[in-house]
Amino acid sequence: MDTPHEMMLTPYMDKTPNSDEYGALTNTDQQPGKRRKKKSIVWEHFTIENVSAGCRRAYCKQCKQSFAYSTGSKVAGTSHLKRHIAKGICAALLRNQDKSHLTPSTPASKGSDPPKRRYRSPNSSYIMFDQDRCCHEFTRMVIMHDYQPHMVENPGFVSFVQNIQPRFNARDFNHFQGDCIGTYLAEKQNVIKLIEGIPGRICLSLDMWTSSKTVAYAVITGHFVDSDWKLHRRILSVVMEPYPDSDTALSHAVSECLSDWNLEGKLFSLTFDHHATESALGNLRPLLAIKNSLILNGQFLVSKCIARTLSSIANDVLTAGSVIVKKIRDCVKNVKLSESNEAKFLELKEQLQVPTERSLCLDDLTQWNTTYFMLIAALELKEVFSCLDNSDPDYKEVPTRDDWMQVETLCTCLKVLFDAASILSTISNPTVITFFHEVWRIHLELARALASEDPFTCSLSQMMQEKINKYWKDCGLILAAAVVMDPRFKMKLVEFSFNKLYAEEAPAYIKIVDDGIHELFHEYVTLPLPLTPTYADEGNGGNNVKSEGLQSESLLSDTGLTDFDVFIMETSSQQMKSELDQYLAESLLPRVQDFDLLGWWKQNKMKYPTLSTMARDILSIPVCTLPPESIFDMEIKEMDPYRSSLRPATVEAIICTRDWIQSEFAEVSDALVKMEY
């Protein structure tokens, strides 16, 4: 039975000739043994007893008070019974509910006029008030929509809440912080269960946020594939670092996360932002080697954020062309900040019939893509700028032909970076497979640009190539391994790409990837695979097969098969190695656009049991530490002053819980969309 706090009484229902006001049937036309079940919710609080022949009364389960119900053919109905409960008349119910938390009742103040009779619409409902439930939902609302927690003490908010529900006891800020921590701990249990159930390893990404108080916050996110082969992303920890520039800050944050979430021995890869120093990484690797068995001698352990790398290169390009960028920016300002100048500019554009739909825009210095948009729009409208000085005597900074050539070079370089970064901003979970192709494409574009006779173009291309080569050196094997795990490409795309990039040196680089994949697979062959519930479910495809169950149980429990287990361990290396070779030798799948890679491995996990485990971990590696809205940031993300003023535990609770709630909503939304199809 529902508790009183959860009771909802519906005061109106359509009447039928054989029903009373709230669905209780009369005795008319009733047949013995076929009495319909009473529908009104008041019968959860009342029982019907026969007092005498033809007379029945309703008794309150709380206070045992009796009420008229039926005498012969006359039925009293349930309205007076509902009022007894909903209006708070029942003394026992009042005691159980702390003097009643029923919304419709309003205690009359001493000496006040008697309450007036209130009329309600047919669709209104009586809802029991629950202080704890309201506080819980309010806390989730503040977290989910990123409101400032101190709003609970704002006079305007307190007055608003009191007018809506006078019984709601608004929390002060200290109590609200406790509610945030409580909500965080409750939601954390769900994430813990999710992570405990994953059959593979987990990958982490770390992004360091600065603050105005000289401390930093390491935001660590977990990336993993669950037992149903669905990719998940959850913020796990927000660790405040008082000395972010120290060489131990990175290792301390990762160590805190691994310990808090019991991830020792489960880490596969760590992706960090571009600003981590080599000395910081030097401290990180030994720490992870102690807490975690290294995969392929640590070659998969640490990778860099591609978005930070692209932003760093874009910043170098814009810095190299800062003089011409400022000149174009001033020209755009001259047009955009004056209504008359803009009208004159548009008139000239129409007269010249310039074939572009782009419009001039001012750039945001914190987002490098906006500067690219400004330059490309100005370049396509250069004819209008060239004619503008004839109609505007005050317009003196006319870009020259050489200036426009430099702008074109800048746009060409930025476009290569922009096209790659745009993938990160439009795809919710970009994979490492995508960026093998993108990095390879950038390599080819820069190689062509280096052959240019223009000194400015050559210098920019050389500068860009140095940084992209550094990223390729650090992350190339990870990107290539992910491509090999795609049955549409395998080693064939690696061979094709490397022949384009390295020409006669390609075989040596191809061999590095091939050897690395085989060595990694051999490590997975020797890894113990305990018969956990997750592995057991995967072994039978997730189906509870009842037939021949006795035979299966006897085989699993037969201790006489110990020698068989030893035989499997001794012979598995050769068998599992042929598993990889068999996969690589099979024909490539057609390159359909909406190919579900994880779904393919789910379907083929019985055919490739070890290889699928390795693929699951590789395909979990994140290429980026940033959310889509921060892909083009020129600066490190900064914790706002308000959050920085909160306790570190509160900051972590708010940021993590908000991410978890949003993930729950997103998964429910995706499930509903799939149901519609």
Side-chain angles (χ1 to χ4, degrees):
M1 188 179 87
D2 294 338
T3 62
H5 287 290
E6 297 171 344
M7 182 183 70
M8 181 172 70
L9 302 176
T10 306
Y12 181 86
M13 290 181 64
D14 291 336
K15 300 180 183 179
T16 64
N18 295 327
S19 66
D20 64 14
E21 184 180 357
Y22 292 100
L25 293 175
T26 67
N27 293 330
T28 307
D29 298 330
Q30 281 289 354
Q31 298 180 14
K34 293 186 178 181
R35 185 183 302 276
R36 287 176 57 191
K37 185 179 180 181
K38 296 179 175 60
K39 297 180 180 180
S40 178
I41 200 170
V42 299
W43 298 117
E44 295 182 6
H45 302 272
F46 288 89
T47 58
I48 301 297
E49 297 183 12
N50 293 322
V51 178
S52 60
C55 179
R56 293 186 296 167
R57 294 185 67 81
Y59 286 83
C60 176
K61 294 180 182 179
Q62 300 287 340
C63 64
K64 309 304 180 184
Q65 184 177 350
S66 68
F67 297 85
Y69 180 63
S70 67
T71 304
S73 60
K74 184 178 180 181
V75 179
T78 58
S79 298
H80 61 305
L81 306 181
K82 180 183 68 62
R83 285 194 295 271
H84 177 70
I85 299 297
K87 290 293 184 181
I89 301 174
C90 178
L93 193 59
L94 283 172
R95 289 193 297 271
N96 293 339
Q97 298 180 5
D98 297 328
K99 302 303 181 181
S100 177
H101 288 176
L102 288 168
T103 301
S105 63
T106 304
S109 58
K110 188 174 182 179
S112 62
D113 295 332
K116 297 180 180 180
R117 183 175 181 179
R118 297 184 179 182
Y119 296 90
R120 57 186 178 273
S121 66
N123 294 325
S124 64
S125 300
Y126 287 104
I127 301 176
M128 304 294 290
F129 173 71
D130 187 331
Q131 170 75 16
D132 292 337
R133 182 171 177 272
C134 288
C135 287
H136 173 70
E137 291 299 327
F138 174 72
T139 303
R140 283 174 61 91
M141 179 197 72
V142 172
I143 292 174
M144 184 166 54
H145 297 290
D146 209 17
Y147 298 142
Q148 291 190 358
H150 271 95
M151 69 179 289
V152 298
E153 295 181 344
N154 292 344
F157 173 77
V158 174
S159 175
F160 171 72
V161 171
Q162 287 299 311
N163 277 280
I164 290 181
Q165 176 48 265
R167 289 187 180 86
F168 181 69
N169 182 21
R171 306 275 194 173
D172 59 21
F173 175 68
N174 288 332
H175 283 91
F176 182 79
Q177 284 194 105
D179 291 342
C180 287
I181 299 297
T183 303
Y184 161 75
L185 294 175
E187 294 289 337
K188 185 176 182 179
Q189 292 304 311
N190 298 329
V191 183
I192 289 175
K193 291 179 181 178
L194 179 62
I195 293 178
E196 287 178 345
I198 64 175
R201 297 196 174 209
I202 190 170
C203 299
L204 300 179
S205 62
L206 184 148
D207 192 33
M208 196 72 77
W209 295 11
T210 61
S211 74
S212 58
K213 295 189 174 182
T214 70
V215 300
Y217 296 82
V219 180
I220 303 177
T221 304
H223 307 258
F224 52 91
V225 175
D226 64 15
S227 57
D228 196 36
W229 290 84
K230 302 297 181 185
L231 182 63
H232 295 269
R233 177 189 179 277
R234 296 289 190 278
I235 294 179
L236 301 182
S237 300
V238 180
V239 184
M240 193 268 284
E241 290 295 335
Y243 305 102
D245 296 329
S246 68
D247 294 338
T248 59
L250 184 62
S251 57
H252 172 260
V254 175
S255 178
E256 287 285 317
C257 180
L258 294 177
S259 176
D260 184 32
W261 288 87
N262 193 27
L263 297 177
E264 286 88 349
K266 298 180 181 179
L267 180 64
F268 182 73
S269 176
L270 171 66
T271 304
F272 62 94
D273 61 17
H274 185 73
H275 300 277
T277 62
E278 292 298 331
S279 55
L281 293 177
N283 288 331
L284 178 63
R285 289 181 184 274
L287 169 72
L288 296 181
I290 295 173
K291 294 179 175 289
N292 208 79
S293 57
L294 295 182
I295 296 294
L296 203 61
N297 198 28
Q299 294 185 64
F300 280 73
L301 186 60
V302 178
S303 62
K304 292 183 178 180
C305 173
I306 184 65
R308 293 291 193 192
T309 301
L310 295 176
S311 294
S312 175
I313 298 174
N315 182 58
D316 291 344
V317 171
L318 293 174
T319 300
S322 58
V323 175
I324 187 58
V325 170
K326 182 182 183 305
K327 190 172 186 178
I328 298 300
R329 184 181 292 121
D330 290 340
C331 292
V332 174
K333 281 183 181 180
N334 183 66
V335 173
K336 295 295 293 183
L337 300 183
S338 170
E339 292 185 7
S340 60
N341 288 350
E342 186 170 17
K344 197 177 301 180
F345 188 89
L346 294 175
E347 182 181 353
L348 279 172
K349 176 185 175 183
E350 186 175 352
Q351 291 176 359
L352 295 171
Q353 297 182 348
V354 179
T356 180
E357 295 182 358
R358 293 186 185 272
S359 300
L360 293 180
C361 58
L362 291 173
D363 62 332
D364 179 355
L365 296 182
T366 65
Q367 299 269 318
W368 66 265
N369 61 319
T370 63
T371 305
Y372 168 66
F373 294 149
M374 179 190 72
L375 294 175
I376 196 70
L379 181 63
E380 294 185 6
L381 293 165
K382 63 181 181 180
E383 295 180 30
V384 184
F385 279 106
S386 299
C387 297
L388 194 61
D389 61 331
N390 297 326
S391 57
D392 185 1
D394 296 329
Y395 182 66
K396 303 184 185 302
E397 295 294 328
V398 183
T400 64
R401 182 175 178 275
D402 290 340
D403 291 338
W404 287 119
M405 289 180 63
Q406 286 194 19
V407 172
E408 185 175 1
T409 300
L410 292 175
C411 289
T412 300
C413 294
L414 292 174
K415 184 181 186 303
V416 176
L417 304 174
F418 174 78
D419 289 344
S422 294
I423 297 174
L424 295 168
S425 62
T426 55
I427 300 178
S428 57
N429 286 310
T431 64
V432 280
I433 294 175
T434 304
F435 277 87
F436 176 86
H437 176 74
E438 291 302 316
V439 175
W440 167 57
R441 185 178 59 82
I442 293 174
H443 265 293
L444 291 181
E445 293 289 342
L446 294 179
R448 294 192 190 102
L450 282 171
S452 173
E453 297 180 358
D454 177 41
F456 184 62
T457 301
C458 287
S459 63
L460 283 182
S461 301
Q462 186 175 0
M463 176 184 61
M464 294 171 67
Q465 193 176 56
E466 289 177 0
K467 284 201 169 182
I468 206 68
N469 282 343
K470 179 68 168 61
Y471 177 83
W472 183 255
K473 179 182 177 181
D474 295 334
C475 307
L477 182 58
I478 295 175
L479 300 179
V483 169
V484 176
M485 293 298 102
D486 191 327
R488 297 170 298 173
F489 303 114
K490 302 184 183 179
M491 280 296 296
K492 295 299 182 182
L493 182 59
V494 175
E495 295 168 2
F496 173 79
S497 304
F498 282 16
N499 280 316
K500 292 280 188 180
L501 289 175
Y502 301 114
E504 65 277 1
E505 298 179 1
Y509 288 98
I510 294 172
K511 187 176 185 303
I512 292 175
V513 174
D514 187 68
D515 290 346
I517 293 295
H518 279 82
E519 185 179 345
L520 178 63
F521 179 75
H522 179 71
E523 290 190 22
Y524 270 81
V525 170
T526 58
L527 287 175
L529 298 178
L531 192 59
T532 61
T534 302
Y535 284 109
D537 290 342
E538 292 207 341
N540 59 30
N543 298 321
N544 296 320
V545 182
K546 298 298 183 183
S547 62
E548 301 180 357
L550 292 177
Q551 296 180 12
S552 300
E553 291 179 7
S554 63
L555 285 174
L556 290 174
S557 60
D558 190 353
T559 56
L561 293 178
T562 305
D563 293 340
F564 175 72
D565 295 332
V566 175
F567 170 76
I568 290 297
M569 292 297 295
E570 291 175 349
T571 60
S572 61
S573 177
Q574 182 178 358
Q575 293 174 351
M576 294 304 181
K577 184 176 182 180
S578 63
E579 179 186 318
L580 172 60
D581 292 334
Q582 178 187 351
Y583 165 78
L584 294 176
E586 290 180 350
S587 301
L588 301 181
L589 295 184
R591 294 195 306 277
V592 294
Q593 187 166 359
D594 296 327
F595 180 69
D596 183 2
L597 180 56
L598 291 176
W600 186 88
W601 280 107
K602 179 181 179 181
Q603 293 176 354
N604 290 272
K605 64 186 178 184
M606 298 300 293
K607 183 178 181 180
Y608 304 113
T610 301
L611 192 60
S612 63
T613 302
M614 187 174 87
R616 187 203 308 264
D617 293 341
I618 292 175
L619 298 176
S620 301
I621 299 176
V623 291
C624 181
T625 66
L626 303 176
E629 64 272 13
S630 302
I631 296 301
F632 298 98
D633 283 358
M634 296 282 280
E635 301 173 353
I636 301 177
K637 193 173 180 64
E638 182 176 353
M639 189 74 73
D640 62 83
Y642 178 78
R643 277 183 177 174
S644 300
S645 67
L646 302 176
R647 295 182 304 187
T650 304
V651 174
E652 181 177 46
I654 291 174
I655 293 178
C656 290
T657 308
R658 181 170 183 259
D659 176 75
W660 299 340
I661 294 175
Q662 288 178 339
S663 297
E664 291 172 6
F665 275 104
E667 289 174 359
V668 171
S669 177
D670 291 342
L672 292 176
V673 170
K674 291 179 180 178
M675 289 176 62
E676 291 178 358
Y677 285 99

